[in-house]
Amino acid sequence: MSREIITKWSEQDAAGSRDSGNFPASPEAPPPTGKKKMDFDDILEEIGEFGRYQITNYILICLPVLFSAANSLTYVFTAGVPNYRCKVPGCDNETDPEYSGKWVEEAIPLSSHNPYNEQGFVPDQCNMYVPYGNVTNMTCPLGHFSKNVSKCDSWVYEHNEWTILGQWEITCLANQWMLSLVGTVHFAGILMGTVTFGLLADRFGRKQIFVFCILLMSVTGIAQAISPSYVVFQVFVFINALGTAGVYPLAFIIGVELVGRKKREMSGIILNYFYAIGEAGIALVAWLSKDWMIIQLVVSAPPAIFVVYYWLVPESVRWLLAKNKNRKAEKIIKKAARMNKVVLSERLLSTFDEDNLVKDPEEDDDSMGTWQTTVQICKSKKLVFRSLNLFYNWAANAFVYYGLSVNSTSLGGNKYLNFALVALAEIPGYTLAWIAMNKIGRRWSLVGSMLICGITCMTAAFIPQDARWAVVTLFLIGKIGITCSFGVIVVYTAELYPTIMRSVGVGTSSTVARIGAMVAPFAPLLAIYMEELPLILFGVVSFTAGALALLFPETLGARLPDTVEELQAL
């Protein structure tokens, strides 16, 4: 998925998918005599599955997702590598130096990595020729420089682009790992934040943790912009990722739990559209400012206003009912009914009586049942291999998805436009996933999208340098493919685990995916050795994952497995 990967699969969502036509409903034991088991889906059918109340709150929930997406990928520009060269004393203007000049090729050797591009001569980043004598008045006469090379200690940046590279002089090839490490630290924070805030949201409620995560993201994002050193900056990158990790998953859960079963797929897809637009927005801000501090402040300061959501956004009614907070749930339902212009029936209102609460007898046995189910799966070679296959597919998806996003700025042409196009490619990607899953099934949707990504990436790697439009086109098709794959695999994984460990299965798979995401920022460094190597690697990883996905069973139209025996029968 294009965002912080969701580690919690809602059992209500699974039931909603089963009841929406894809799966036959499984029978449930009736509640004890004289008591009513409250079904929120039935409540939603009465008040309206996606009425004015849900639309209003859904829009509110989607707005922070724009900034969550932006914070997730700001490091692409804040820790980016602008074009730069040595500052030549006596030749460069001290107050307003220009990156290009007629004398530059005389004073600075060619870049050993990429000596020429569409703009022509590319100067070395950290070496300059030694002059025969002192240069004054910015004359830099021809023939004034020897062919002896020396290291420099100050630099000139193209278009005055300013990133942390210039802020703390993280220059030259030997230090580029420090820039890639920013992305890895970010994804390490995402990993910890997703697990931590998922548990806290189950304990203290969706809304409170949602608001807290937004504020944490905002405050630490601002702190990054004013960090006095690289180490302090990295500390705030990690903490910022903790907060960012909670925003999208909780928005997804609140949004999905707010609407009826027939609208859940649609609500999830729209949330992903907002995420894609938020990612593309970073490119616009970076292009207009070209200053990493401004970028960080623009994407981090505005979310502080969402503190008002503590009073505006309702708590998840499903969570309130699960915690037996019936009176609070009743108030929200009545407010929703008023906004949707619906009169609630007495039958529905009576279900909120405290005496009618029914505790799910399975709640006390969840942990033991999950452990026993895990042991059963580990005893089956077939299911162990299937789980390992899922883990590889998740890691491959995350590695390629984030790798393509980071590598988009290394393509020829306008890097801001390339990044924006790659981000917006997620919109058709998720739309394709939505359609394909229900038309051709989960397996062929996953296999096809991964193979499309693999083939386009490897093809793009061997396109001639002067056909940049073809490279970008293939790159975009690859991003659509990997986005489609991510959209499919979340649903697919939930359908390939039994009910009692569905949350654990999706959560574990998502955690493994973080390993791929943490490695992805280093992929562009491979271009130092061979420019086409990152795309070749993305292609091979995608192609391998697509081939292995052929071994999964098809689950379209199948009943969600409740036991290990049913899982083995797939």
Side-chain angles (χ1 to χ4, degrees):
M1 141 176 333
S2 69
R3 57 264 12 7
E4 321 320 330
I5 308 166
I6 298 174
T7 62
K8 192 84 173 168
W9 174 263
S10 168
E11 293 301 330
Q12 293 94 334
D13 298 343
S17 295
R18 182 167 60 242
D19 297 341
S20 65
N22 292 336
F23 306 97
S26 57
E28 296 183 2
T33 304
K35 294 187 178 182
K36 304 166 187 175
K37 187 174 182 180
M38 191 175 300
D39 188 336
F40 188 55
D41 284 323
D42 293 338
I43 295 173
L44 285 170
E45 286 183 7
E46 186 164 325
I47 67 171
E49 295 194 48
F50 202 59
R52 183 183 300 176
Y53 179 79
Q54 286 100 325
I55 292 173
T56 301
N57 283 287
Y58 190 78
I59 292 172
L60 291 175
I61 290 165
C62 286
L63 294 178
V65 170
L66 293 170
F67 294 95
S68 169
N71 273 273
S72 293
L73 287 173
T74 49
Y75 72 88
V76 174
F77 294 105
T78 59
V81 181
N83 290 325
Y84 65 94
R85 61 166 176 81
C86 290
K87 187 175 183 179
V88 182
C91 291
D92 279 306
N93 188 308
E94 288 296 325
T95 57
D96 188 24
E98 293 185 7
Y99 176 77
S100 300
K102 294 181 179 179
W103 55 270
V104 172
E105 198 165 347
E106 276 283 315
I108 299 176
L110 287 169
S111 169
S112 58
H113 166 53
N114 184 25
Y116 291 96
N117 61 17
E118 55 265 32
Q119 278 80 43
F121 168 77
V122 177
D124 191 283
Q125 293 178 330
C126 294
N127 296 296
M128 56 180 285
Y129 291 128
V130 177
Y132 289 119
N134 291 332
V135 180
T136 58
N137 299 323
M138 295 179 290
T139 53
C140 297
L142 295 178
H144 187 75
F145 292 88
S146 69
K147 292 303 177 182
N148 296 323
V149 175
S150 66
K151 296 285 185 181
C152 56
D153 56 9
S154 59
W155 292 268
V156 175
Y157 301 91
E158 187 175 26
H159 305 311
N160 294 318
E161 187 175 354
W162 194 242
T163 71
I164 65 169
L165 179 147
Q167 184 75 27
W168 295 301
E169 295 189 348
I170 311 173
T171 51
C172 304
L173 187 59
N175 293 321
Q176 278 200 13
W177 66 270
M178 296 175 68
L179 300 174
S180 298
L181 187 63
V182 175
T184 301
V185 169
H186 167 80
F187 285 114
I190 292 292
L191 171 60
M192 183 172 291
T194 304
V195 176
T196 301
F197 290 119
L199 295 172
L200 290 176
D202 284 343
R203 175 67 178 83
F204 297 105
R206 318 307 199 198
K207 182 181 73 171
Q208 294 184 71
I209 303 303
F210 181 53
V211 174
F212 176 79
C213 287
I214 294 172
L215 291 178
L216 182 63
M217 177 183 72
S218 178
V219 171
T220 54
I222 295 170
Q224 286 180 61
I226 58 176
S227 296
S229 68
Y230 172 80
V231 173
V232 174
F233 173 79
Q234 285 281 49
V235 170
F236 283 119
V237 166
F238 181 81
I239 301 174
N240 177 262
L242 292 176
T244 303
V247 177
Y248 175 85
L250 289 174
F252 183 92
I253 291 171
I254 293 171
V256 165
E257 292 184 344
L258 189 68
V259 303
R261 66 188 73 178
K262 295 177 183 177
K263 302 293 183 181
R264 285 184 195 138
E265 288 181 348
M266 176 271 293
S267 65
I269 291 294
I270 292 176
L271 199 69
N272 289 329
Y273 292 167
F274 273 82
Y275 199 93
I277 294 170
E279 287 179 327
I282 312 170
L284 178 61
V285 175
W287 175 63
L288 292 174
S289 66
K290 294 185 172 61
D291 188 316
W292 76 272
M293 292 184 182
I294 295 175
I295 297 170
Q296 201 61 53
L297 290 172
V298 168
V299 302
S300 299
I305 196 173
F306 294 127
V307 68
V308 299
Y309 278 20
Y310 185 82
W311 297 276
L312 289 180
V313 174
E315 181 55 87
S316 167
V317 176
R318 290 187 187 275
W319 181 83
L320 291 172
L321 294 176
K323 296 296 182 180
N324 295 334
K325 299 177 184 291
N326 270 28
R327 293 305 177 195
K328 291 183 178 180
E330 182 182 13
K331 289 180 181 178
I332 296 173
I333 292 300
K334 287 181 176 179
K335 182 178 180 181
R338 286 195 301 270
M339 285 190 66
N340 291 352
K341 301 185 185 306
V342 172
V343 178
L344 298 176
S345 66
E346 289 298 324
R347 180 190 64 81
L348 187 149
L349 291 174
S350 67
T351 61
F352 290 102
D353 293 340
E354 299 293 335
D355 293 338
N356 286 333
L357 292 178
V358 178
K359 185 177 180 181
D360 189 344
E362 294 182 0
E363 285 182 0
D364 295 332
D365 300 326
D366 273 356
S367 59
M368 182 61 68
T370 300
W371 171 250
Q372 291 173 346
T373 304
T374 304
V375 171
Q376 281 183 279
I377 288 177
C378 290
K379 289 180 179 179
S380 169
K381 291 182 180 179
K382 174 183 176 181
L383 297 183
V384 168
F385 177 78
R386 186 182 293 171
S387 292
L388 293 175
N389 195 356
L390 279 170
F391 294 162
Y392 176 77
N393 266 271
W394 274 82
N397 268 273
F399 172 71
V400 176
Y401 171 84
Y402 287 107
L404 288 178
S405 294
V406 174
N407 210 60
S408 63
T409 58
S410 301
L411 299 176
N414 188 309
K415 66 180 180 180
Y416 305 105
L417 178 60
N418 291 342
F419 183 89
L421 290 174
V422 168
L424 293 174
E426 294 180 20
I427 293 177
Y430 279 111
T431 304
L432 182 61
W434 186 12
I435 296 170
M437 277 193 294
N438 294 304
K439 294 292 184 181
I440 63 173
R442 278 53 162 155
R443 180 174 60 184
W444 284 110
S445 296
L446 181 61
V447 171
S449 55
M450 290 299 288
L451 293 182
I452 287 172
C453 180
I455 292 169
T456 52
C457 284
M458 286 190 282
T459 303
F462 297 102
I463 294 292
Q465 295 293 315
D466 56 351
R468 286 296 181 183
W469 63 270
V471 175
V472 173
T473 300
L474 290 168
F475 200 90
L476 291 175
I477 295 172
K479 184 61 184 293
I480 290 172
I482 198 65
T483 303
C484 176
S485 174
F486 233 144
V488 173
I489 200 170
V490 176
V491 176
Y492 205 3
T493 303
E495 295 171 347
L496 289 174
Y497 280 102
T499 298
I500 198 167
M501 66 172 301
R502 191 161 290 123
S503 264
V504 175
V506 176
T508 304
S509 300
S510 174
T511 301
V512 172
R514 296 299 181 196
I515 299 173
M518 290 168 67
V519 175
F522 285 92
L525 290 181
L526 296 174
I528 295 169
Y529 307 102
M530 178 180 172
E531 189 175 4
E532 301 83 8
L533 200 54
L535 283 175
I536 293 173
L537 180 61
F538 297 147
V540 170
V541 171
S542 298
F543 199 89
T544 306
L548 288 172
L550 284 167
L551 301 175
F552 291 131
E554 181 54 70
T555 58
L556 177 63
R559 182 182 183 277
L560 280 176
D562 290 320
T563 65
V564 174
E565 289 75 18
E566 292 176 355
L567 185 63
Q568 286 180 314
L570 286 175

